[in-house]
Every structure is written in C-alpha cells, then in structure tokens.
Amino acid sequence: MNLAEILVYTDIRQLHQIANHYGCECNPHSKNELITSLLSSLRHRLTISQEVAQLSQAEIHFLLQLLLDKRTVMSLEDLLAKAGVALLAAKEKKQDSARQFVAAAMKRGWIFPAKSKTVGQYQIPLDIREPFIQAWLDQWREENDLVIPGPQAYRDEGTALCDDIMQFLQFLQQEPVPLTAEGGMYKRHQQQLFQFLYVKEEPLLPQKWRFGYGLHFDVYPDRFSLLYDFCYYNKWMEEAEGRVGITEAGRERLEQPYSDQLYHDVIRFWMRLYKRAIPNLPMLVQLIPLIASGGWVRQESLLNTLVPWIKEFYYDAPADILINRVCKMMVHLGLLRVGQDEHEQWLYTATYASQTWLRKYNGFTETTILLK
C-alpha cells in the first residue's frame, strides 16, 4: 500500500508522533489536516534528504535493510532482527536498543502497523522506498565520485559459472575421482579439471582457518568450492568409498539445455550458503549494484562505506569479507564487472543481471543452508 492509503487508518497517536518529528504545522485535532500535512512532508525531496542526512551509520544501516527488503508486510521479529544486525555491526547493545530503533522508525513514518487481523505485523509504504534510497544514493555520490568512463579492459564472467558446472559434471562422468583423507580431490586431479574451466583457479595450500562458506571451503578455491557445493546440494554428484562421482540426476542434468533458471538457482544457493556467515548479505547484494550503476565505483569507496556495516566472521575481517566473500563472488556470479584504473585500483560496475532479475529477487526471505 502507498503512504496515502496507510495514513487513513493509522492511529491518531502515531500521526501526532510523525507530525511532531517532522515539525508539521497543522490542527492536531483534525485527522484530515494531519494526513495532508504528513503527505506533503514525507513526499518532499528536501525533507527526505534532510532526514537521511541526520541519521547515524547504524540508523542508515537499519533503514536500508528495511527499504531493500521487498516484502510488503513484516513481523515485529523481522524488524527486531534487522535492528539487531545494524546494532551488532555498530557494536552497540542489542536488547532495548533494537526496540528503540523500531519505535523511532514508526515516529519517522517508515513503518506502520498493518491493517490486518494479525497482531504484530508491520508494513512500509511502497512509495517511500525509492525516494529514501535515492536520497541516500545522492548523498553518497556527493561524497564519492563514480569513475566515468571506466577502465579500458574489464572482466565480465556472465553465466560462466553455469558453463563450468557442466564442465565439472562431464569431468566426473568420465570416471569417479579419488579423494584425500581431508575429503578433497588430489591436486593433480584439480589441476587437470581447472584447465577446462572458463575461470582459472589454483589448488589451495593447506589453510586450517578456511571454514564457514561451504562443505569443502577448506580444500578448494572460492569459486570452485561454490560450484562443487552446488552440485553436491542438488545431488548431481556423490561422495562414497573415498571417491566422488556423478549420479543419475547429474547425468540427466547434463542432457538438459542451459536455462536462466539454473543461473538464478546458483545465485540463490550462494546467498543461502553465505548468509549464515554474513547476515546482511541480502542488503549488500542489492545495495552494491545500486551504488555501482551509471559508472564505476572504486573498491576503496565501497570499503569506506560498507565495512562499518559488516561484522567479522572468525578469522575473516570485515574488509576481507566485503572484497573476497561479496564483491569477488558477485563478479563470479555475473552480478558485477571488475577492472582496474591507471593506478591499478580495483573498480566495479553493475551488470545487466544485477539491474534486472536481482531487482526482483528478495534474498531477505531466503533460509540459510548448512551443508553436512
């Protein structure tokens, strides 16, 4: 529902709170005047811009989590969870503060009790989402220049990950591959396979700290680890008696032509697999292409903006998470292009996929996957 429809049935007490927050001058005893004044304020670009400018980092983090989530109705638990993520990243106490964030959002006219029989359901007016997000993007661009034109050469992997899934299944179709005691393929088999893949990687050196991003993240490089886990999750391959081999379902998959659904399923799988380690991944995946649209954004600018909203995950520092677990994987998934400027600084820009399908996809509703 849009703001005008929601305000009509909003409790007079909340209307007064919102009017006081924005300094609306009207007859407080007239609901019609309150609604008219609030509509004028909350639709005014200057009001929205001023409101966004005075928010703290944690409040901006909470706001973007709200507005980039495409659900029309959320529970109080959903809202408190979003506030908790923002507060945890800001290293603030979560208990009472989370409820204060939700109460403040109601006073600012971001959320309203839903008009339904279910108690504890809230909604965000559809027509305030884009103006608030755009206000933040405008302010970001005033402080951070986009690079136009971009680098002379860049990498766009598109749907190459889907092609390499087929290459991997064809490799397994030849014969089962023996596994080491650690559960990974021997390096000679990895090297033999990797030379056929569209995106080259090197076998990992032993690294005990690599965990949390998949079943065999400790023994395979990042991209192939995701590819392997996706095939394993879909039961296109199986590990048995010290070997990994293709299944009947895998052979059937090889006989099917490429479809966009496969590509979308890989992105969804990555989101679900990495979301446990990076709780605000759905927000980052939506926000980065918005920032990086219309030009190229410097990696340094992304670090300065987004690192405060990322919490470390064991041995992974926030900056490493943003670069290696988010941006790098978004390049592998065809959601970002990457290149370098004349000073060898990394640059990113949004792809067609991130500006079309990803805009409709809502990673906030995805459950996490824990492979065993």
Side-chain angles (χ1 to χ4, degrees), residues 49 89 107 214 219 221 265 283-284 313 330 332-333 368:
S49 180
K107 291 179 182 178
V219 293
D265 286 345
M283 184 199 80
L284 297 171
F313 181 73
M330 289 181 73
H332 289 325
L333 289 160
T368 58

Side-chain angles (χ1 to χ4, degrees), residues 149-163:
Q152 292 184 346
Y154 60 84
R155 190 167 83 250
D156 183 349
E157 297 187 14
T159 59
L161 192 61
C162 297
D163 298 328

